[in-house]
Amino acid sequence: MGANTSQVSDLSESQSIRTLIGPDAISENEPFWNQLISFTFTSPTCSADAKLLEEAVVPLAKTLIQNNPRSGNFGALVRVFLSRTKELKISTECQDQLFIWQAHNALFLVRCLLKVFIREMNEEELHLQFSYQERAPGTYDSICEDLLEELACNLVHLIVEVPLLDITYNILFEAVTTLLVLLSYQLFHKEVLKEGLIYGYLTRGRCLSLTSRLVKTLLYNFIRQEKCPAATHVLQTQSEGGGLLYGLASGVASGLWSVFTLGGVGSRPGAEQDQNPLPLSNQSLLLLLVLANLTDSPDTPNPYRQAVTCFKNTQDSSSIPSPQPHTFQINFNSLYTALCEQQKSDQVTLLLYTLLHQNSNMRTYILSRTDMENLVLPILEILYHVEERNSHHVYMALIILLILTEDDTFNRSIHEVILKNISWYTERVLTEISLGSLLILVVIRTIQFNMTRTRDKYLHTNCLAALANMSAQFRNLHQYAAQRIISLFALLSKKHNKVLEQATQSLRGPLGADDTAVLPDYAQDLNVIEEVIRMMLEIINSCLSNSLHHNPNLLYALLYKRELFEQFRSHPSFQDIMQNLDTVIGFFSQRLEQAGSDLSVERVQEVIKKGAAALPKERLKKFPELKFKYVEEEQPEDFFIPYVWSLVFNSGVGLHWNSQGVELFGMDSP
């Protein structure tokens, strides 16, 4: 490397690199270091390039691991980087692009080596690699510094202190990426790590006071969605004087400053975000999610989670001081806009879930928005394309809906928002439909998909809970939404009859069958299907009891398919709830009979509308209000930490890990 444009293939031949990893100590004052970090290298941004880089670096890093106890060159490289970070802010103010470029290169080298070190050794052994250093004969070093802690703290300082400009974009990206790499020990452990050296550096001591600033900066990096600067903005004066340093010729930095113009962001290679890469935004969000999901240590709660749960809106003029530590203010409008625009990415949906679930200020703000469709529509689109999404992304989208439907104002207002021509909904042309009716359609479709494919009880439960929360507030349901509610009931009824028949046959048993043969557990299947049917009856009943006169289309669909409900009238599990449905069906059937035979659709709807106003409410039995609240599992980290790291593994820009050593999750994880 050194003083010229390099490619992955040049790494092992580079004399500078061979000197760095060799057995001879290089004092940090040697001109060698300036030469080493004056290179241009197109950092990888797609997974294929990152894999090539990783494969090239591994043997070099392993050689350094063997020689570093004698040479101390890794520690010297880290100190060279740290000496430059002290002047980064001044360099930025002075537009000293060369200085920033060299600091970036030093950090890039540190990060590439660290990534292999972390895979090859535990934290204590890593700590030793930082402590080896060259000793001149007869000298005594009384300064006992913790170079690993120094690096971690300097990276945090760099991220929060150095402003995001064209000339600092890449070094800020590299700082965020290096922190992710430092925390990547978790990937190589099956169990969730609750303590560790690097964990301690970031959650206690010198970094603790920067917690809120780091969270705020990472959030703003996500909000700003800055693209990588074009190469033309940087080192424009490089041809003057015949070169910059050690023969740097015109254009030598162009590769470095266009490092992010190739690959992109996305949970899968080839995702559409690749066309518009936002590496700093993506990597900052991944780091934020990793930090916010660190476990609490026995004596200290995770400060990053505290910061995420209590930040406030910059528009909040309340003078009441927050009792929470690490609080700060951020522009909620900008954050809301970014959340709405980026929902196709798993990590943005996870951030939205985290904020809705944990930050009451943000939840209140989101629920008060009058443009809720901007947030809800992308969530519905995720669910609509359920077969293309990983299960975790679908869960997060569903839980977001469940949290939103806990709020009655939300449940009312979504029926007032009228949408035109939803292009991604392809099963039927919907020229005009309310957001509420569309939400019902998509949730029912998710239930039906789950019944035929995945059969995931957790998915069923959350879908039905969201519908139940909304049911009392159903208003002016679209004709198609009303039909789909009854069609879902028809599907459940058919499935119930089939399982019941199978259960009956299995009890009789085939002639000559072996008594010890294992039979399918039809009783359990029957129990699950009856729970779902009960829930659907309660949802229909809740709508009829609370807003009958607002939903003529549901009444029409119910009467049209009334024979579906007859078999459940005398069923002990449904008798109580069936009384109300019987009352409604009987009342309207009688009115339709009185109106005569061969009624047109319009005439039937007219009879229904008049009847809805005339039905005596006291004839309907009162049931408790249907309300479900989302509650996290007892040990949420067992789900969220593997999920977050699977996102880093799949979507980290310019990062590649060999899957063989990864133990935290299976390779079929999202």
Side-chain angles (χ1 to χ4, degrees):
M1 259 187 199
N4 52 36
T5 302
S6 305
Q7 299 301 324
V8 170
S9 56
D10 301 332
L11 276 176
S12 55
E13 282 81 43
S14 163
Q15 187 54 51
S16 297
I17 292 290
R18 292 172 76 167
T19 304
L20 171 70
I21 65 175
D24 298 328
I26 310 155
S27 163
E28 56 200 85
N29 301 316
E30 294 272 342
F32 164 82
W33 295 106
N34 265 339
Q35 188 174 355
L36 175 74
I37 59 177
S38 297
F39 64 83
T40 302
F41 187 87
T42 305
S43 296
T45 56
C46 69
S47 55
D49 289 346
K51 184 171 184 282
L52 284 174
L53 176 64
E54 179 84 353
E55 288 167 354
V57 169
V58 167
L60 304 173
K62 285 184 176 179
T63 303
L64 180 60
I65 290 168
Q66 291 172 351
N67 291 327
N68 193 45
R70 273 174 295 168
S71 73
N73 285 345
F74 180 69
L77 172 62
V78 172
R79 280 190 287 274
V80 165
F81 165 68
L82 293 177
S83 68
R84 279 163 166 73
T85 60
K86 294 181 176 69
E87 297 170 52
L88 267 177
K89 205 172 178 186
I90 298 164
S91 302
T92 305
E93 288 164 7
C94 301
Q95 296 282 301
D96 187 343
Q97 299 168 359
L98 175 64
F99 189 92
I100 296 166
W101 168 55
Q102 287 189 317
H104 167 277
N105 286 356
L107 182 55
F108 176 71
L109 287 173
V110 169
R111 187 255 285 188
C112 288
L113 294 167
L114 262 179
K115 195 161 168 297
V116 182
F117 285 11
I118 284 168
R119 189 180 190 106
E120 295 292 317
M121 59 187 81
N122 62 36
E123 276 192 313
E124 289 69 28
E125 292 165 333
L126 178 73
H127 197 240
L128 276 176
Q129 293 292 336
F130 279 82
S131 62
Y132 301 128
Q133 63 185 79
E134 172 238 355
R135 296 250 193 274
T139 62
Y140 174 71
D141 187 358
S142 61
I143 302 169
C144 183
E145 63 174 346
D146 185 338
L147 200 57
L148 178 53
E149 181 178 17
E150 193 71 25
L151 175 63
C153 291
N154 264 269
L155 291 171
V156 174
H157 266 281
L158 196 161
I159 293 165
V160 301
E161 295 283 355
V162 175
L164 174 52
L165 306 169
D166 279 2
I167 58 171
T168 61
Y169 189 102
N170 292 320
I171 194 165
L172 288 169
F173 169 83
E174 203 55 56
V176 170
T177 305
T178 307
L179 277 178
L180 269 177
V181 167
L182 277 172
L183 287 159
S184 67
Y185 269 111
Q186 180 63 78
L187 274 173
F188 310 108
H189 290 80
K190 197 161 188 65
E191 73 283 359
V192 168
L193 298 179
K194 297 182 186 291
E195 196 50 276
L197 267 179
I198 294 154
Y199 180 108
Y201 295 149
L202 292 172
T203 57
R204 294 189 286 278
R206 290 161 54 195
C207 286
L208 188 62
S209 61
L210 294 172
T211 297
S212 57
R213 288 183 66 193
L214 180 57
V215 170
K216 183 176 184 173
T217 304
L218 294 173
L219 273 174
Y220 267 128
N221 286 350
F222 161 67
I223 287 168
R224 287 175 67 172
Q225 304 285 313
E226 291 282 349
K227 294 181 186 178
C228 187
T232 50
H233 293 307
V234 186
L235 294 181
Q236 289 169 329
T237 59
Q238 56 204 9
S239 58
E240 293 171 17
L244 287 167
L245 181 68
Y246 295 100
L248 282 177
S250 172
V252 75
S254 62
L256 177 72
W257 295 105
S258 59
V259 293
F260 301 119
T261 59
L262 298 173
V265 176
S267 58
R268 294 288 180 275
E272 59 191 75
Q273 293 101 318
D274 288 3
Q275 307 307 313
N276 180 21
L278 302 163
L280 180 60
S281 172
N282 178 72
Q283 221 86 322
S284 295
L285 178 51
L286 289 172
L287 177 59
L288 177 63
L289 291 170
V290 166
L291 292 170
N293 283 284
L294 293 174
T295 55
D296 296 333
S297 64
D299 54 342
T300 323
N302 173 2
Y304 299 98
R305 185 180 295 125
Q306 287 181 311
V308 165
T309 59
C310 66
F311 67 78
K312 295 181 176 180
N313 193 354
T314 47
Q315 308 302 311
D316 181 3
S317 55
S318 150
S319 57
I320 305 165
S322 172
Q324 301 283 354
H326 313 301
T327 191
F328 61 91
Q329 288 187 308
I330 199 164
N331 187 310
F332 277 15
N333 183 51
S334 303
L335 179 53
Y336 178 81
T337 303
L339 287 167
C340 292
E341 288 172 352
Q342 302 292 319
Q343 277 309 312
K344 283 183 183 170
S345 126
D346 278 71
Q347 47 266 40
V348 181
T349 306
L350 181 53
L351 175 64
L352 174 58
Y353 159 78
T354 304
L355 296 178
L356 270 174
H357 178 55
Q358 297 183 4
N359 188 314
S360 58
N361 303 320
M362 191 69 196
R363 182 169 62 250
T364 302
Y365 175 84
I366 288 173
L367 287 165
S368 71
R369 293 286 300 206
T370 54
D371 59 349
M372 187 64 78
E373 66 275 14
N374 292 339
L375 189 75
V376 176
L377 279 172
I379 297 293
L380 295 183
E381 197 173 347
I382 292 165
L383 292 176
Y384 187 78
H385 297 294
V386 58
E387 62 277 4
E388 297 165 23
R389 301 286 173 185
N390 67 68
S391 59
H392 287 31
H393 199 184
V394 172
Y395 285 156
M396 289 298 103
L398 260 180
I399 293 166
I400 285 165
L401 287 186
L402 180 54
I403 293 170
L404 292 172
T405 61
E406 289 170 19
D407 183 77
D408 278 344
T409 307
F410 171 83
N411 294 332
R412 278 193 298 274
S413 63
I414 54 174
H415 293 289
E416 293 161 13
V417 177
I418 304 301
L419 308 166
K420 310 264 186 184
N421 300 314
I422 307 299
S423 57
W424 49 261
Y425 193 96
T426 55
E427 278 153 80
R428 177 166 170 156
V429 176
L430 299 172
T431 50
E432 192 171 282
I433 189 169
S434 72
L435 180 59
S437 287
L438 183 66
L439 197 159
I440 291 164
L441 282 175
V442 172
V443 170
I444 286 174
R445 185 180 184 275
T446 309
I447 293 172
Q448 291 183 317
F449 173 83
N450 187 42
M451 282 172 65
T452 54
R453 306 276 185 88
T454 52
R455 301 188 176 187
D456 181 337
K457 190 178 176 185
Y458 186 79
L459 207 66
H460 263 346
T461 305
N462 283 294
C463 285
L464 290 166
L467 286 177
N469 282 347
M470 294 167 61
S471 59
Q473 309 290 339
F474 284 172
R475 293 287 186 278
N476 303 315
L477 290 187
H478 190 280
Q479 180 186 359
Y480 186 50
Q483 285 172 12
R484 299 305 293 157
I485 291 172
I486 304 303
S487 297
L488 175 58
F489 189 83
L491 190 68
L492 291 165
S493 173
K494 192 175 176 182
K495 196 170 177 63
H496 176 268
N497 294 341
K498 187 179 177 183
V499 173
L500 190 60
E501 190 181 323
Q502 288 169 332
T504 309
Q505 283 176 354
S506 72
L507 285 172
R508 292 192 192 121
L511 288 171
D514 179 2
D515 288 343
T516 60
V518 178
L519 294 170
D521 191 353
Y522 292 115
Q524 190 179 350
D525 283 358
L526 196 62
N527 190 37
V528 170
I529 199 83
E530 287 184 355
E531 276 180 28
V532 177
I533 286 174
R534 168 83 194 186
M535 192 81 160
M536 281 303 296
L537 287 171
E538 287 180 345
I539 288 166
I540 294 167
N541 174 63
S542 171
C543 175
L544 297 178
S545 301
N546 292 285
S547 52
L548 180 101
H549 55 293
H550 288 300
N551 290 292
N553 285 331
L554 183 63
L555 271 170
Y556 183 94
L558 180 71
L559 291 166
Y560 189 70
K561 294 281 187 180
R562 52 185 178 261
E563 71 284 350
L564 278 174
F565 299 87
E566 286 173 9
Q567 61 174 307
F568 299 108
R569 188 175 291 146
S570 56
H571 194 293
S573 300
F574 312 123
Q575 268 182 323
D576 59 337
I577 203 93
M578 278 304 302
Q579 285 177 21
N580 277 0
L581 268 73
D582 267 348
T583 300
V584 171
I585 289 169
F587 178 82
F588 283 96
S589 297
Q590 189 181 11
R591 290 210 153 215
L592 287 170
E593 279 172 26
Q594 290 169 356
S597 57
D598 297 329
L599 299 176
S600 65
V601 172
E602 291 76 14
R603 177 73 182 118
V604 171
Q605 286 176 332
E606 190 186 321
V607 171
I608 286 171
K609 282 179 184 172
K610 286 184 178 172
L615 176 69
K617 284 281 182 72
E618 62 275 6
R619 286 174 60 182
L620 298 180
K621 184 183 172 186
K622 289 270 185 206
F623 283 87
E625 187 183 9
L626 282 184
K627 274 293 169 192
F628 292 86
K629 194 172 174 60
Y630 169 70
V631 180
E632 260 185 4
E633 299 287 331
E634 251 180 61
Q635 291 180 295
E637 64 272 15
D638 292 344
F639 171 85
F640 285 102
I641 289 177
Y643 180 30
V644 168
W645 276 104
S646 73
L647 295 179
V648 177
F649 182 89
N650 284 312
S651 340
V653 179
L655 288 170
H656 169 80
W657 281 276
N658 185 324
S659 60
Q660 281 182 331
V662 173
E663 292 193 16
L664 183 61
F665 47 80
M667 283 305 110
D668 57 346
S669 289

